[in-house]
Amino acid sequence: MFKVSRFCMLVFFGFFLTNLPVHSQEPVLTPMEQHIASLIAGIEQNNRIVGELTAESLANLPVGIKKTVGGNRYIIGIDSARFTEKGIYLSAYTEVTLKGNRRKI
């Protein structure tokens, strides 16, 4: 009886361990992270990088401002602008990868 139970346990755990789902090393992106990644990629692919914000560039959104700081490239993507009497309100996004972390925030 002991040998049969031990054998059944080995078969069960062997089956269980070999059929565990394999999780991707890539993080699952939230909808906002997907929007930001798509915005930044679209700005780069469509060559929508500007040196500075002007009325003309804000009239043709989205645009990005590219900067290199400490050897790292950053793009600030702007996908909407609202002009009011008090000023301009922008929706701006960027992606940052921290050291020791593959996930962009």
Side-chain angles (χ1 to χ4, degrees), residues 36-98:
I36 295 168
S38 175
L39 173 67
I40 300 297
I43 289 170
E44 286 185 295
Q45 291 169 359
N46 296 314
N47 198 25
R48 301 287 301 145
I49 303 293
V50 296
E52 61 183 38
L53 292 179
T54 63
E56 183 180 331
S57 64
L58 290 175
N60 297 303
L61 296 174
V63 296
I65 302 169
K66 183 187 278 188
K67 296 291 179 187
T68 302
V69 179
N72 296 315
R73 173 200 56 89
Y74 298 99
I75 295 178
I76 299 171
I78 301 167
D79 70 348
S80 66
R82 186 169 47 105
F83 298 85
T84 69
E85 296 172 356
K86 295 182 180 182
I88 302 172
Y89 294 88
L90 304 171
S91 292
Y93 308 92
T94 193
E95 294 177 318
V96 177
T97 304
L98 301 177

